[in-house]
Amino acid sequence: MIALVLAIDVLAALVSCAVIVLNARSAVEVEMQAAMSNVELLVSDTIDLAQNEAPSGILQTLNLRIHDLRHVRVTVLDASGKVVPSGFGRLRRDQHVSPDWFAVLIAPSIREHDLPIVARGARIGTARITTQPRDEIDEVWGYAVSLSLTSLGLSLGLLIALTVAFGRVLAPLTRLADGLTQLERQDYTARLEPPASRELATIANRFNSVAQALAETRAANGRLNRQLLSAQDDERRRTALELHDEFGPCLFALEANAASVIRMAEAEAPPDRERLKQRAQEIASIVGQVQVQNRDLLNRLRPHALGQVPLADCLELLLRDFRRRHAGTRFAGTFDGLARGYGDVTDLTVFRCIQESMTNAVRHGRASNVTVRAQDEAEPGAASGRALRITIRDDGAGVPEDHGLGLGLSGMRERVEALGGTFGLDNGQPGAVVRIMIPLDREPDTDTSSNARA
């Protein structure tokens, strides 16, 4: 900005110099013309006043009166063309204060004019008038120097004032740049002191708000990562426990029955067909139990039906599984109008959120009735946008006032917000209500659940 002001000052100085030169040339030209006119009048008046004198006296008187005039040089010649001496030394020195280059820019061409001196009807000499603009140029130079020094002083004062003002005004921006550098280095403790300027104070407050939000987000991510690690460890521990408690006895029973069959086959006596049939039935029963446990375990880790069958059918299977495992609770769902699928991430988010909400309703709310509704509908206020709206209601104990966001609720919120949606948990009087909205940024599959059942 200082450089811009300097450039403007230099441009203004150049324009001022050009204006001074043009005006000075015109002024010097006018001054020279006026000086020649005045000299001609002076010569005429002198001759009229000295008509009674001798011709030499007239020339001497004239020479004395026009000696050392400004802007012109007058040389008096007698009738023979000789210069009439004035009898005085030259009072004016030919030293000038203006530089030659300035004189060349301004000075008009030198003009010379011979004025005849006539007395009693006879020409007694000649007054040779020659313009001398250097005197006027010296005056213009003095004026230009004074004006330039004054302008330079004002410009320097203005630059100093602007430097101080810009330094005070831009100092908060420098601190803002330093703060942004700290944020870039992931140092979210950066804070700015609000400056005196109201506009810059607003920017500083917004910066502090952003830094605070980033710090809180970083802390939340840290907590979520720790919860995720804990959840992974818990899931591994639970999986290991199920493998040990459920699969272990089944495998031991299979091994025992297989050993029994081997012993009966190796015996010398003919095998007891009834006992072989009983062992085979026990093995088949154990295998069926293992298959059920394996399917439950795989569904908990990753619903294998997602992407293979319509989303509505996956949700119906989820409700059926909850009815089987929680016989004392009634589960109902409405999924009409859903597309076959909305992409792997969206489908998995819908499945997990409904699964977690129903688990919370049974485990924490001790609900007797759980109702799930999922709709694909147009977004309010949008021309062509659509959204998935999911509502899970229960008639359980509701949401306590001092409840916190556990891992399940945090996981649902994170999943939904990652898709640009909203998540809400409220009391439904009775029970609790989970409301989820997920915007659809692409067209869903054309095959809906109503006509694409597996």
Side-chain angles (χ1 to χ4, degrees):
M1 297 180 71
I2 296 296
L4 179 61
V5 174
L6 286 174
I8 294 174
D9 282 346
V10 171
L11 180 61
L14 293 176
V15 173
S16 298
C17 291
V19 171
I20 289 174
V21 168
L22 294 176
N23 290 338
R25 288 177 64 92
S26 176
V28 170
E29 180 70 24
V30 171
E31 189 70 22
M32 293 303 99
Q33 294 178 358
M36 291 192 70
S37 300
N38 290 334
V39 170
E40 291 179 356
L41 292 175
L42 180 61
V43 171
S44 299
D45 291 342
T46 303
I47 294 173
D48 292 340
L49 293 174
Q51 286 291 328
N52 296 326
E53 297 183 12
S56 59
I58 294 175
L59 296 178
Q60 190 65 35
T61 301
L62 181 61
N63 205 7
L64 291 176
R65 292 195 65 181
I66 63 177
H67 179 69
D68 212 16
L69 296 175
R70 285 175 53 83
H71 307 320
V72 293
R73 297 292 180 267
V74 182
T75 304
V76 180
L77 306 176
D78 58 14
S80 62
K82 294 180 180 181
V83 177
V84 178
S86 63
F88 296 95
R90 187 169 183 79
L91 299 178
R92 186 183 301 273
R93 295 180 298 177
D94 291 332
Q95 295 180 354
H96 302 282
V97 296
S98 61
D100 294 337
W101 60 267
F102 187 75
V104 171
L105 287 176
I106 295 179
S109 58
I110 303 299
R111 297 173 57 187
E112 191 175 272
H113 176 60
D114 289 343
L115 181 65
I117 303 173
V118 179
R120 302 184 185 93
R123 181 171 181 171
I124 61 175
T126 303
R128 181 166 294 167
I129 306 171
T130 305
T131 58
Q132 295 292 328
R134 197 60 182 265
D135 294 335
E136 185 68 19
I137 293 174
D138 288 343
E139 293 181 1
V140 174
W141 172 255
Y143 167 76
V145 169
S146 300
L147 181 62
S148 299
L149 291 176
T150 303
S151 300
L152 179 61
L154 292 176
S155 298
L156 290 177
L158 178 62
L159 288 176
I160 293 173
L162 289 177
T163 301
V164 174
F166 286 160
R168 293 176 61 88
V169 171
L170 299 180
L173 297 182
T174 303
R175 292 193 293 271
L176 175 62
D178 295 337
L180 292 175
T181 301
Q182 286 185 261
L183 294 184
E184 184 180 2
R185 295 172 180 172
Q186 298 184 357
D187 180 9
Y188 302 134
T189 61
R191 297 294 184 273
L192 298 180
E193 290 293 333
S197 173
R198 183 177 60 183
E199 293 78 6
L200 296 179
T202 302
I203 295 176
N205 292 331
R206 294 293 183 271
F207 174 88
N208 293 336
S209 299
V210 170
Q212 180 66 27
L214 290 175
E216 293 175 355
T217 302
R218 186 176 187 177
N221 288 338
R223 291 192 300 270
L224 186 61
N225 287 333
R226 289 191 295 271
Q227 291 176 346
L228 180 60
L229 293 176
S230 299
Q232 290 175 345
D233 291 338
D234 292 341
E235 185 65 28
R236 293 189 184 101
R237 188 180 303 109
R238 186 168 61 177
T239 302
L241 185 61
E242 289 187 4
L243 290 175
H244 179 271
D245 294 344
E246 302 292 340
F247 286 86
C250 291
L251 294 177
F252 177 77
L254 288 175
E255 183 182 10
N257 280 281
S260 177
V261 172
I262 292 174
R263 286 194 302 270
M264 285 188 294
E266 291 177 349
E268 294 180 358
D272 188 344
R273 293 180 179 275
E274 188 62 30
R275 291 181 62 189
L276 285 175
K277 180 180 178 182
Q278 182 181 358
R279 295 291 183 271
Q281 290 175 345
E282 291 178 358
I283 291 175
S285 176
I286 295 171
V287 169
Q289 184 179 354
V290 169
Q291 288 176 340
V292 171
Q293 294 172 355
N294 182 64
R295 183 167 55 251
D296 292 342
L297 181 61
L298 292 177
N299 280 333
R300 191 172 69 247
L301 297 177
R302 163 73 187 189
H304 66 278
L306 282 179
Q308 306 298 324
V309 299
L311 176 60
D313 290 350
C314 292
L315 298 178
E316 289 288 357
L317 291 174
L318 178 63
L319 292 178
R320 187 184 308 168
D321 182 65
F322 267 81
R323 295 188 190 103
R324 179 180 59 83
R325 291 189 288 112
H326 305 282
T329 303
R330 178 180 175 273
F331 296 91
T334 303
F335 311 118
D336 294 336
L338 292 182
R340 179 181 179 85
Y342 298 92
D344 186 67
V345 177
T346 302
D347 291 351
L348 183 60
T349 298
V350 172
F351 187 92
R352 290 301 190 198
C353 289
I354 294 177
Q355 183 184 44
E356 182 66 27
S357 298
M358 292 194 301
T359 300
N360 291 337
V362 175
R363 181 182 302 171
H364 303 294
R366 297 178 296 278
S368 300
N369 294 277
V370 179
T371 304
V372 181
R373 183 180 182 86
Q375 294 177 294
D376 181 347
E377 60 184 28
E379 288 189 80
S384 60
R386 304 191 65 80
L388 279 176
R389 296 193 178 274
I390 304 164
T391 306
I392 304 99
R393 295 179 179 271
D394 66 74
D395 59 355
V399 183
E401 294 182 359
D402 57 348
H403 86 287
L405 288 180
L407 181 60
L409 293 177
S410 298
M412 284 194 289
R413 184 184 298 275
E414 291 290 335
R415 285 177 180 272
V416 172
E417 291 181 353
L419 295 176
T422 58
F423 174 87
L425 174 62
D426 304 302
N427 279 312
Q429 296 180 357
V433 181
V434 176
R435 293 183 176 87
I436 297 171
M437 188 280 294
I438 300 176
L440 303 175
D441 55 359
R442 65 175 183 84
E443 290 294 328
D445 297 342
T446 56
D447 190 11
T448 63
S449 62
S450 61
N451 57 13
R453 298 286 180 176

